[in-house]
Amino acid sequence: YLPHHHPHPSFHPKHHKNNSLQSSSFSTRTRRRRRQGGGAPSSYNPVEGGPGNSSAADEKPASASSRSPAKLSSAEFLSVANTLLDRVESSLTKLKDVNDGLEITRHPPFDAPEDDDASDATAENEDDDDENNKPKAQSHSGQLSIRVESSGDLYWGGGTYLVTISGDDRGVVTLQSPLSGNFAYVYDGEHDEWVGEEDGHSMLGMLTRDWIRQCRGVPDF
C-alpha cells in the first residue's frame, strides 16, 4: 500500500510552469544585453563620475604660451616697461641691508655708435686685450643692472642681472641672468604680466627663483 501523495498547498503545476518560463525569458534577455556590450551607459564619463558631461573631460586649459602679447604703441610700451624696471629696482633696493655688496644701477636710454665709429674705437685699443674682450654695447631704451657679490659658493657665485628695454621695434624686455641665461619677454595686458616670448613663463617668477638661489630675502615684486 502506497500512501497517496498530496502536493504542497502553495504548489500548482500551472504556476510552476509559468514561473519557469519567466525566469528563462529574463535570463535570455540578460545574456543578450551582455553580448551586445551592456553595462555602464555609453554616456557615462568615468572622469566626471556620472553620465553626460563628456565635453568637460575633453577640455584642456590654455597654455601660457598661447597668450597673445598686448598691442601697444611705442609710448605705451615704454610706459609699462619702465614701470617694470621701477618695480624690480624698488623691490631689490629693500634687500640691500641683507645682501652685502649688492649694487643696483639704473641706466638711461643709450644709442650705440655707428659701426664705423665702433670699428675705429676698437682699432685704437687693439693692443689692449681687456678692451677687445668687452662685449659690444647695444642700444636700449633703459636698463637696470643688479650686481650680486659672490658668496664663495661653488655653484651659485656672483654675477650681474640686466633687465633691458629693447631699443628696436620688437617691443620686448630682456632679462640676462648669470644663472639661467638670456630671455626675451612681452607684455600680457590681460594679466598685467611680462611673459616669455617663446614659452610664456613669468619673468618675475624666473627672476625670483634665481634671486633666492644666490641672495638673501624674497623680493616683493
Side-chain angles (χ1 to χ4, degrees):
Y1 173 77
L2 295 176
H4 182 70
H5 176 70
H6 295 280
H8 191 276
S10 62
F11 175 81
H12 192 283
K14 183 178 181 181
H15 291 167
H16 177 70
K17 181 178 181 181
N18 290 340
N19 289 340
S20 299
L21 291 174
Q22 290 176 1
S23 182
S24 174
S25 176
F26 176 79
S27 177
T28 302
R29 289 197 303 270
T30 301
R31 288 196 298 271
R32 184 180 299 118
R33 283 201 303 269
R34 289 176 179 171
R35 287 197 300 268
Q36 293 174 353
S42 59
S43 61
Y44 180 81
N45 184 1
V47 176
E48 296 296 326
N53 297 328
S54 58
S55 60
D58 298 333
E59 293 178 358
K60 296 180 180 179
S63 63
S65 59
S66 66
R67 295 184 291 188
S68 301
K71 296 181 179 179
L72 305 173
S73 66
S74 296
E76 291 171 334
F77 167 72
L78 288 175
S79 177
V80 293
N82 277 290
T83 298
L84 171 67
L85 266 62
D86 290 341
R87 289 174 61 185
V88 175
E89 182 179 13
S90 174
S91 298
L92 297 184
T93 298
K94 299 175 185 177
L95 301 176
K96 273 190 169 184
D97 291 341
V98 294
N99 290 279
D100 296 336
L102 178 60
E103 297 179 6
I104 301 174
T105 307
R106 185 74 169 264
H107 301 283
F110 171 74
D111 288 327
E114 297 295 332
D115 291 341
D116 292 341
D117 296 337
S119 61
D120 291 342
T122 302
E124 293 175 0
N125 298 285
E126 60 183 359
D127 294 331
D128 189 339
D129 292 338
D130 291 337
E131 289 295 329
N132 289 337
N133 290 330
K134 285 184 179 179
K136 181 181 176 181
Q138 300 289 332
S139 297
H140 61 74
S141 298
Q143 186 179 76
L144 183 65
S145 171
I146 305 115
R147 182 179 177 277
V148 177
E149 190 174 72
S150 175
S151 61
D153 189 285
L154 180 61
Y155 297 100
W156 312 124
T160 301
Y161 293 84
L162 293 176
V163 183
T164 307
I165 304 173
S166 65
D168 51 27
D169 296 331
R170 291 177 61 199
V172 301
V173 168
T174 60
L175 169 64
Q176 177 181 313
S177 165
L179 297 187
S180 296
N182 300 338
F183 296 91
Y185 298 88
V186 294
Y187 180 66
D188 177 4
E190 182 180 354
H191 300 89
D192 188 25
E193 185 178 12
W194 290 87
V195 296
E197 190 175 33
E198 295 185 356
D199 60 8
H201 72 270
S202 167
M203 173 188 171
L204 294 180
M206 170 76 77
L207 181 55
T208 299
R209 186 195 69 176
D210 287 1
W211 176 269
I212 61 179
R213 287 176 174 178
Q214 282 192 302
C215 308
R216 297 183 179 89
V218 180
D220 59 347
F221 297 133

